[in-house]
Amino acid sequence: MNSDFSEEKYEKAILELFQDVLGYHVECGYDIDRDYENPLYIPVLEDCLRSINRDVPSEAIDEAIRRLQDFGLGNLEFKNNLFTSYLQNGINVSYVSDGEERHVIVKLIDFDDVDRNDFRVVNQWTVTNVSEDENRRPDIVVFVNGLPLVVMELKSPSREEVDVSDAYTQLKNQMNKIPRLFYYNAFCVMSNMEINKAGTLTSSEDRFMEWKSTDGSYESTEFADYNTFFEGIFEKNRFIDILRNFLLFSKDGQSYSKILGAYHQYFAVRKAVMSTLEAIESNHKAGVFWHTQGSGKSLSMVFYVHLLEQLMSNPTFVIVTDRNDLDNQLFAQFSHCSEFLRQKPVQAESKDDLKELLNNRQANGIFFTTIQKFDDSEESLTDRDDVIVITDEAHRSQYSLETKVDTRTGKIIVGDARRLRDALPNATYIGFTGTPISSKDKSTREIFGNYIDIYDMTQSVEDKATVPIYYEDRVVNLKLDKNVLHEIDDKYDELAMNAQNSNIEKSKKELSRMEVILGSKETINTLVDDILKHYEENREYLLTGKAMIVAYSRDIAIKIYRRILEIRPNWQKKVNVIMTSSNKDPEEWHEIIGTKKHKTELARKFKDDNDPFKIAIVVDMWLTGFDVPSLATMYVYKPMKGHTLMQAIARVNRVYKDKEGGLIVDYIGLSNALKEAMRDYTANDKKNYGDTSIENTAYPEFQKQLEICEDLFYGYNFSDFYGESNLKRADAIKGGVNFIESKNSEDAEDIYLKESLKLKQALSLCRSKATEDERMDAAYFVAVRSLLSQITKKGQISLKEINNQINQLLKHSVKSNGIINLFEGGQEEISLFDPKYLEKIAAMPEVNLARKMLEKILNDQIRIYRKTNVVKSEQFSQLLNDTINNYINGHITNEDVINELIKMGKDIKQAQNEGEKLGLTTEEQAFYDAITKPEGIKDFYNNEELIKMTHELTRKLNETKTIDWRKKKSARAKMKVQVKRLLKQYDYPPKGLDEAMKTVIQQCELMADNL
């Protein structure tokens, strides 16, 4: 890539794409005469609203515009939620005509005729923060009809010191500094050409997502370029569609979460809607929507229902699950999105309630029910053909068309799906699933038809919509008889596949014998001891430490809970049991299980990353539809098969910060069941995830990376790290960084940071498999990485942060109890330009580390000068570059370069002190430096005159400064005239020193550039 492809050039490239490819009108914000306190493009807004609401009186349009500028009280999310409703549904305003009050909807966008809308992009759109008298300018704002709907922050593709994360930080800062702009925000974009992502104002950085297709194909999305991203989202028809149908607020109490549909959801929901409309006119089989667990299936259902509401005339939706807890979870998701759906969903409480809801209903309604509520009645609840039945996990065994005879009683048993069909004979059926339909399953295809869209695990992980799942076998630790485990497996399979009541009772009796074995005191003690050992040594300090234990039965869940508290009595808040209750439960269970309200509170606590509740013991609840992104570990002590197994283990596949993957720890022998479950997955999934054992995946990768890091440290002895002395351990870590920095290769630092990160990630998954020596070696390499990354990352060095981070890391990895002090005085924050501190760095025996730290400190200060002080920036930047180049070229030694850097640090500190002595602010000192830069200038003026000149110039510029200075030639020319006129009063510059004025003007321009 061109090394000088600056942010400004990239910005121009994006503007050209919008203009030449997408057909948007392009403008520069500096050329638009407007009120910077108002982020709306008022003239365009007024013209567009009158154009697309031609039959609406002018006073109603004016009222709508007034409402757009006054959202009343509330936080940013509240106001943006209100605006999003205006955007999608129009503004309901009242006006008086012929003495009567009338109401009318003023549309902000013409969704029916895209060409009647105004699309434009504006770069450098300035918005003023009134309270702080501060201006902020996003790189690019996308307007539709004068509404600033998308804010973009771009970063240079060629500058290594910045990345796309800086763009995210800028977006969040703008939300704090100029929130008024974000009242109208649909979503945000961050891009540096290589990485291009979109997210909403409530999205964390890891939830900003790429858009990898322009046509719904997943075939070539691995390396989607920025053209695909911008054309995929901002093609006018698609952009308008996204704004109306794939942008929503999920509201839970006072908590708002704004969601932008991902590209796979957009195209799949579109396909599903088209398939449904076709099915209504034909066989009523809309198909099966297979998107892997964790990729947003329930939200896809919400988008699907909303879009069909737009295209059909008052359809009725019946959403069917086979379990009460799943029904509750899905109902809650739809309830949180009720404003987007423009109607409140209703949950059927009983069979009679379901009949009441559906019988003879003529229009609308979103009804939730379990399939068991449909009885054997041959009468239909409605014969309408605009009823859409949505089933979640459509291929479960309960959804059967078959009619069977109970061989014990002779009773005819009608399949659940047959009863559903009889109740809603003309409805259209669509199935949503997170796992594939079994090749042996004929009923699902007979009910729903074929696949509409497939978004598999491979694609989901590639898109970072989910993380991969890994498997660790610890069955052997329980010392159970293998034959017992195989028998359990077979009987559970029989129970799952054969749903006749007589067979269930028979299987339960046989399984009760197995429960005696699995629930024995000796076995439970061994199980819990091993879980605690594994958790405390390997998983407790990973991410938030959230883990789930899946118990074989309710009785065993209680036993596990009691055993844990017996060993760890202070874990009362840390571990809880979540399972259904029964009237037959022993009295002592009631306090442990609690009420429905108690379970709801536990769910809230487990989703809270900071809550002390870390370990959830479950049986069936929370194994489907329950999302905790930071959950990374599941201990399984329950045989599961097929889709039930895959849905359960998907609890750990959610994306969260630095989460490398989810880990399933098996105590029941799931290996064969996992392989069997993978048979119906796509070829890519079988290739990539057919074997997820950490012994065959993460552990070999860890050993490979460990060997690479050992090779990178060839020639350096870090054996002191293994000793008991914390002082020697600290020296070994600093010495490691010193060793990496001593290498002549320019990219040695980057290579080590990259390879040690891979080591750290692999270790997070297979720590329990690593030997003690391997864990210690890895702990050392990761500690060196932590220190190295701290002194090379952007931003100022914090010695306190470095010491704390290293201590936490070693406490968890090598169980170090002492305090490691890498840098003397590092427990307190001190001035990095304190002469005593600089001398301490110079005296460090690790000369390469000392040089790197000094270089980092100076670079950070010079970076500040680049935005504030032209003279100091040039002076110290040149000095630093010359010094480092002389060192690289071998002209000076390590000792020489350290002395030069120390001197430079002292010079910077002295320069700061001189300004204070002269009574100058930082801004004034910058102008003083510019005025006094020419050699011999003090031969013409005394210092009092120079200071007076500085004060006057700074005051005058602050009084007349305007954002137009930066881009408008006329405004910049006017500024130069003002400066020259003022300085002329002091006969500045003196004759023969005309170049002096050039430096002063450069300082003025720098001031303008950072307004």
Side-chain angles (χ1 to χ4, degrees):
M1 185 173 292
N2 190 333
S3 62
D4 65 349
F5 196 61
S6 65
E7 184 178 310
E8 186 176 0
K9 290 180 180 178
Y10 183 43
E11 183 179 300
K12 288 179 179 177
I14 297 299
L15 294 174
E16 285 180 25
L17 187 151
F18 269 92
Q19 181 170 275
D20 299 342
V21 178
L22 296 170
Y24 285 57
H25 179 66
V26 172
E27 289 185 272
C28 176
Y30 298 111
D31 297 330
I32 301 169
D33 188 16
R34 47 176 283 267
D35 175 7
Y36 291 142
E37 293 181 11
N38 191 339
L40 297 170
Y41 200 154
I42 291 294
V44 176
L45 176 65
E46 291 175 342
D47 289 346
C48 288
L49 293 196
R50 285 180 168 80
S51 174
I52 63 178
N53 298 278
R54 293 176 180 172
D55 298 329
V56 175
S58 179
E59 56 267 35
I61 301 289
D62 293 339
E63 173 61 16
I65 293 173
R66 188 198 66 77
R67 294 263 292 276
L68 277 172
Q69 297 175 83
D70 183 7
F71 293 101
L73 299 177
N75 61 17
L76 174 58
E77 290 81 9
F78 171 83
K79 293 176 181 180
N80 186 251
N81 179 41
L82 181 57
F83 170 74
T84 302
S85 176
Y86 289 166
L87 184 72
Q88 294 173 335
N89 307 311
I91 305 177
N92 189 341
V93 300
S94 61
Y95 65 98
V96 176
S97 178
D98 297 330
E100 293 184 12
E101 184 179 67
R102 302 179 186 273
H103 293 269
V104 67
I105 300 293
V106 176
K107 295 188 295 183
L108 302 185
I109 291 180
D110 192 329
F111 291 111
D112 300 319
D113 187 350
V114 172
D115 293 334
R116 292 184 65 195
N117 298 293
D118 179 276
F119 296 84
R120 64 183 67 208
V121 291
V122 181
N123 64 323
Q124 306 303 324
W125 183 257
T126 303
V127 179
T128 298
N129 179 339
V130 180
S131 61
E132 298 183 14
D133 190 25
E134 183 179 13
N135 293 316
R136 292 294 174 111
R137 292 180 302 276
D139 291 332
I140 292 177
V141 179
V142 180
F143 289 84
V144 178
N145 298 340
L147 300 166
L149 298 183
V150 180
V151 175
M152 296 187 193
E153 278 301 325
L154 311 176
K155 291 298 161 191
S156 167
S158 61
R159 285 180 61 196
E160 293 182 1
E161 69 269 23
V162 296
D163 57 28
V164 78
S165 291
D166 294 286
Y168 176 80
T169 301
Q170 274 188 273
L171 287 167
K172 299 305 286 186
N173 287 339
Q174 288 169 3
M175 290 177 203
N176 290 325
K177 293 295 184 181
I178 47 171
R180 190 172 180 82
L181 173 64
F182 292 88
Y183 295 171
Y184 311 99
N185 183 255
F187 55 89
C188 300
V189 167
M190 56 186 192
S191 170
N192 69 349
M193 185 177 277
E194 180 186 1
I195 300 173
N196 312 279
K197 295 183 176 183
T200 72
L201 53 81
T202 66
S203 299
S204 58
E205 186 177 355
D206 57 15
R207 297 315 299 169
F208 269 64
M209 302 297 288
E210 295 176 291
W211 191 283
K212 293 185 169 185
S213 182
T214 57
D215 59 5
S217 168
Y218 304 135
E219 299 303 317
S220 58
T221 57
E222 186 174 359
F223 303 108
D225 61 14
Y226 79 105
N227 287 287
T228 301
F229 175 84
F230 286 104
E231 292 176 35
I233 294 179
F234 292 103
E235 186 277 322
K236 290 179 180 178
N237 288 282
R238 191 176 300 118
F239 183 32
I240 291 298
D241 192 17
I242 291 169
L243 293 175
R244 187 184 198 186
N245 298 311
F246 293 89
L247 191 67
L248 63 81
F249 267 91
S250 178
K251 185 180 177 184
D252 184 4
Q254 295 303 309
S255 174
Y256 292 86
S257 178
K258 191 175 186 181
I259 296 158
L260 171 68
Y263 83 97
H264 65 274
Q265 292 174 310
Y266 174 85
F267 289 110
V269 167
R270 271 282 166 196
K271 290 178 191 176
V273 166
M274 292 303 106
S275 178
T276 302
L277 295 176
E278 291 171 6
I280 290 172
E281 302 300 324
S282 56
N283 61 5
H284 299 281
K285 300 175 184 179
V288 176
F289 186 110
W290 170 22
H291 280 205
T292 197
Q293 302 104 316
S295 61
K297 177 166 57 73
S298 59
L299 280 169
S300 293
M301 291 186 196
V302 174
F303 290 133
Y304 169 80
V305 168
H306 174 77
L307 187 53
L308 272 178
E309 286 176 326
Q310 310 292 326
L311 299 175
M312 294 177 64
S313 178
N314 304 316
T316 296
F317 297 91
V318 180
I319 300 172
V320 183
T321 61
D322 65 347
R323 294 224 322 261
N324 287 330
D325 59 336
L326 188 57
D327 184 52
N328 291 335
Q329 289 161 7
L330 202 53
F331 173 71
Q333 177 68 81
F334 271 70
S335 297
H336 296 161
C337 303
S338 59
E339 289 183 12
F340 176 68
L341 295 167
R342 304 193 71 186
Q343 57 178 311
K344 290 186 177 181
V346 178
Q347 195 172 25
E349 298 293 335
S350 64
K351 291 180 182 179
D352 291 338
D353 188 28
L354 178 64
K355 289 178 182 178
E356 183 70 26
L357 290 170
L358 290 176
N359 200 13
N360 298 317
R361 172 170 284 274
Q362 298 304 309
N364 293 324
I366 302 172
F367 303 123
F368 283 77
T369 180
T370 55
I371 198 166
Q372 292 82 2
K373 290 187 175 73
F374 291 90
D375 58 24
D376 294 340
S377 172
E378 295 182 1
E379 293 183 6
S380 69
L381 297 178
T382 177
D383 293 329
R384 286 169 49 211
D385 64 359
D386 59 351
V387 174
I388 312 298
V389 177
I390 302 170
T391 65
D392 191 26
E393 301 305 343
H395 53 301
R396 296 191 203 233
S397 58
Q398 289 90 338
Y399 296 121
S400 172
L401 285 168
E402 296 182 19
T403 300
K404 298 180 180 180
V405 178
D406 188 325
T407 55
R408 186 166 56 89
T409 64
K411 182 180 178 181
I412 296 175
I413 302 172
V414 179
D416 289 331
R418 172 56 60 200
R419 297 202 304 271
L420 178 58
R421 281 281 189 178
D422 290 344
L424 303 169
N426 296 322
T428 296
Y429 293 78
I430 183 170
F432 280 75
T433 179
T435 56
I437 301 170
S438 169
S439 55
K440 302 173 185 177
D441 181 359
K442 296 180 181 177
S443 294
T444 298
R445 286 186 176 83
E446 188 176 343
I447 298 168
F448 301 104
N450 295 317
Y451 286 126
I452 298 168
D453 190 76
I454 297 174
Y455 187 68
D456 62 15
M457 280 193 287
T458 299
Q459 188 65 48
S460 180
V461 171
E462 186 181 288
D463 291 345
K464 296 181 175 57
T466 57
V467 299
I469 298 173
Y470 295 87
Y471 166 85
E472 180 177 353
D473 185 349
R474 292 181 75 86
V475 178
V476 66
N477 294 34
L478 295 188
K479 300 179 177 62
L480 290 174
D481 189 319
K482 286 284 184 184
N483 293 327
V484 172
L485 290 172
H486 285 311
E487 194 173 347
I488 294 168
D489 214 21
D490 292 341
K491 293 303 177 184
Y492 190 88
D493 195 27
E494 180 183 330
L495 175 62
M497 296 302 294
N498 207 333
Q500 291 188 20
N501 291 334
S502 58
N503 285 329
I504 288 176
E505 293 305 315
K506 179 183 176 183
S507 294
K508 280 184 176 178
K509 288 177 182 177
E510 294 176 0
L511 281 170
S512 65
R513 183 174 66 84
M514 303 302 165
E515 181 158 347
V516 171
I517 299 171
L518 294 180
S520 71
K521 183 175 181 179
E522 181 183 356
T523 304
I524 293 296
N525 289 352
T526 305
L527 170 72
V528 171
D529 289 350
D530 196 70
I531 287 176
L532 291 184
K533 181 177 186 296
H534 185 277
Y535 177 75
E536 291 179 326
E537 291 183 359
N538 307 298
R539 312 298 289 180
E540 184 174 12
Y541 298 107
L542 183 70
L543 303 175
T544 62
K546 301 284 185 179
M548 189 176 281
I549 301 173
V550 184
Y552 182 81
S553 66
R554 298 169 71 250
D555 183 60
I556 286 177
I558 296 293
K559 289 180 178 179
I560 291 172
Y561 173 74
R562 286 175 170 164
R563 175 60 179 168
I564 290 176
L565 291 185
E566 185 181 328
I567 301 171
R568 300 284 184 271
N570 60 332
W571 281 20
Q572 291 279 355
K573 294 182 178 180
K574 192 166 188 173
V575 60
N576 284 285
V577 178
I578 298 89
M579 64 185 192
T580 55
S581 57
S582 166
N583 293 331
K584 298 179 182 179
D585 289 341
E587 183 70 27
E588 61 269 21
W589 284 21
H590 292 171
E591 186 177 349
I592 297 172
I593 299 172
T595 61
K596 183 177 180 180
K597 183 179 179 181
H598 173 68
K599 294 186 187 72
T600 301
E601 178 62 11
L602 286 181
R604 185 195 66 76
K605 287 174 174 287
F606 201 59
K607 290 182 179 184
D608 181 351
D609 293 339
N610 299 313
D611 194 272
F613 177 20
K614 301 297 183 185
I615 301 174
I617 303 171
V618 305
V619 181
D620 292 308
M621 291 184 69
W622 290 12
L623 291 182
T624 55
F626 184 74
D627 292 345
V628 179
S630 68
L631 176 65
T633 313
M634 177 181 281
Y635 298 98
V636 181
Y637 192 56
K638 174 180 181 176
M640 293 180 281
K641 291 276 189 177
H643 56 79
T644 303
L645 171 62
M646 301 307 285
Q647 286 160 0
I649 66 176
R651 296 314 99 206
V652 298
N653 80 343
R654 274 38 175 186
V655 172
Y656 180 83
K657 294 183 179 178
D658 297 327
K659 185 174 174 181
E660 183 65 13
L663 181 64
I664 303 301
V665 184
D666 174 21
Y667 289 99
I668 204 71
L670 294 173
S671 178
N672 289 333
L674 279 167
K675 291 175 183 175
E676 180 71 25
M678 287 299 298
R679 285 187 180 180
D680 295 306
Y681 278 74
T682 63
N684 279 338
D685 282 355
K686 283 185 276 192
K687 174 185 174 184
N688 295 319
Y689 305 108
D691 181 4
T692 58
S693 168
I694 58 171
E695 284 192 87
N696 301 325
T697 54
Y699 187 47
E701 176 66 17
F702 164 73
Q703 290 181 311
K704 183 185 86 172
Q705 291 304 133
L706 190 61
E707 187 175 341
I708 290 172
C709 289
E710 287 169 346
D711 289 344
L712 292 173
F713 268 79
Y714 179 75
Y716 180 71
N717 182 358
F718 53 90
S719 57
D720 282 346
F721 183 76
Y722 295 94
E724 295 297 322
S725 168
N726 282 320
L727 177 60
K728 288 185 176 180
R729 190 172 280 170
D731 288 341
I733 296 169
K734 290 190 290 184
V737 175
N738 190 65
F739 178 75
I740 293 295
E741 290 295 336
S742 71
K743 298 190 177 187
N744 292 327
S745 171
E746 290 184 9
D747 56 356
E749 186 182 282
D750 291 336
I751 290 172
Y752 182 74
L753 288 172
K754 178 181 177 183
E755 299 300 340
S756 56
L757 176 61
K758 291 179 183 177
L759 175 74
K760 179 183 177 184
Q761 291 170 333
L763 180 63
S764 73
L765 295 165
C766 67
R767 185 183 297 276
S768 61
K769 293 294 179 184
T771 66
E772 183 64 24
D773 285 347
E774 286 174 333
R775 285 199 295 269
M776 285 296 291
D777 284 350
Y780 175 72
F781 294 134
V782 172
V784 171
R785 182 186 192 280
S786 180
L787 175 55
L788 182 59
S789 62
Q790 283 287 327
I791 64 173
T792 55
K793 72 176 185 178
K794 295 182 292 292
Q796 290 189 342
I797 293 177
S798 167
L799 299 187
K800 185 177 181 181
E801 183 182 340
I802 290 175
N803 277 335
N804 288 342
Q805 189 176 91
I806 296 291
N807 274 288
Q808 283 293 104
L809 188 153
L810 295 181
K811 178 183 176 182
H812 300 156
S813 60
V814 300
K815 309 304 178 189
S816 169
N817 293 318
I819 299 297
I820 290 183
N821 199 8
L822 288 173
F823 301 103
E824 188 179 345
Q827 293 308 308
E828 302 174 0
E829 291 297 2
I830 59 176
S831 169
L832 297 184
F833 282 103
D834 186 321
K836 292 180 181 178
Y837 169 72
L838 294 175
E839 294 294 349
K840 284 181 180 178
I841 292 182
M844 287 171 57
E846 300 87 5
V847 291
N848 297 294
L849 173 57
R851 171 181 52 78
K852 189 69 182 180
M853 290 182 68
L854 289 168
E855 184 183 340
K856 160 73 173 170
I857 292 167
L858 295 172
N859 256 322
D860 287 341
Q861 183 58 46
I862 290 169
R863 192 175 292 116
I864 294 171
Y865 278 149
R866 286 198 188 106
K867 294 183 177 181
T868 58
N869 191 314
V870 167
V871 175
K872 289 287 192 294
S873 173
E874 290 177 357
Q875 175 188 347
F876 290 115
S877 182
Q878 188 63 49
L879 274 173
L880 183 59
N881 288 336
D882 289 346
T883 303
I884 298 303
N885 286 335
N886 283 333
Y887 169 73
I888 291 172
N889 294 328
H891 299 153
I892 58 176
T893 65
N894 238 326
E895 185 179 353
D896 291 333
V897 76
I898 287 175
N899 288 333
E900 288 292 328
L901 295 176
I902 289 289
K903 183 178 181 301
M904 202 182 308
K906 291 178 177 178
D907 288 345
I908 290 176
K909 181 64 178 175
Q910 184 179 349
Q912 292 173 344
N913 291 338
E914 284 176 358
E916 293 173 6
K917 288 178 182 177
L918 294 172
L920 301 174
T921 65
T922 301
E923 187 178 45
E924 288 171 339
Q925 186 179 352
F927 281 106
Y928 179 82
D929 291 339
I931 290 170
T932 60
K933 181 186 178 184
E935 189 175 346
I937 197 74
K938 292 188 178 181
D939 293 338
F940 297 91
Y941 312 95
N942 61 44
N943 211 40
E944 287 184 5
E945 289 177 309
L946 292 169
I947 291 173
K948 185 178 180 183
M949 206 183 303
T950 299
H951 284 312
E952 185 69 16
L953 177 60
T954 309
R955 183 188 62 78
K956 185 69 174 178
L957 287 173
N958 277 318
E959 286 177 355
T960 59
K961 66 183 178 183
T962 166
I963 199 68
D964 292 342
W965 282 358
R966 189 174 180 198
K967 287 291 181 180
K968 282 190 177 181
K969 290 182 179 179
S970 59
R972 185 155 290 210
K974 186 177 179 181
M975 174 194 72
K976 292 177 182 178
V977 170
Q978 287 178 335
V979 171
K980 290 178 180 178
R981 185 178 297 158
L982 186 147
L983 293 178
K984 191 175 182 181
Q985 297 174 18
Y986 297 89
D987 293 325
Y988 187 96
K991 291 180 180 179
L993 292 177
D994 294 337
E995 284 292 310
M997 184 59 75
K998 182 178 178 181
T999 304
V1000 176
I1001 294 298
Q1002 284 178 337
Q1003 181 61 45
C1004 293
E1005 289 176 333
L1006 183 65
M1007 175 186 179
D1009 287 342
N1010 288 282
L1011 284 177

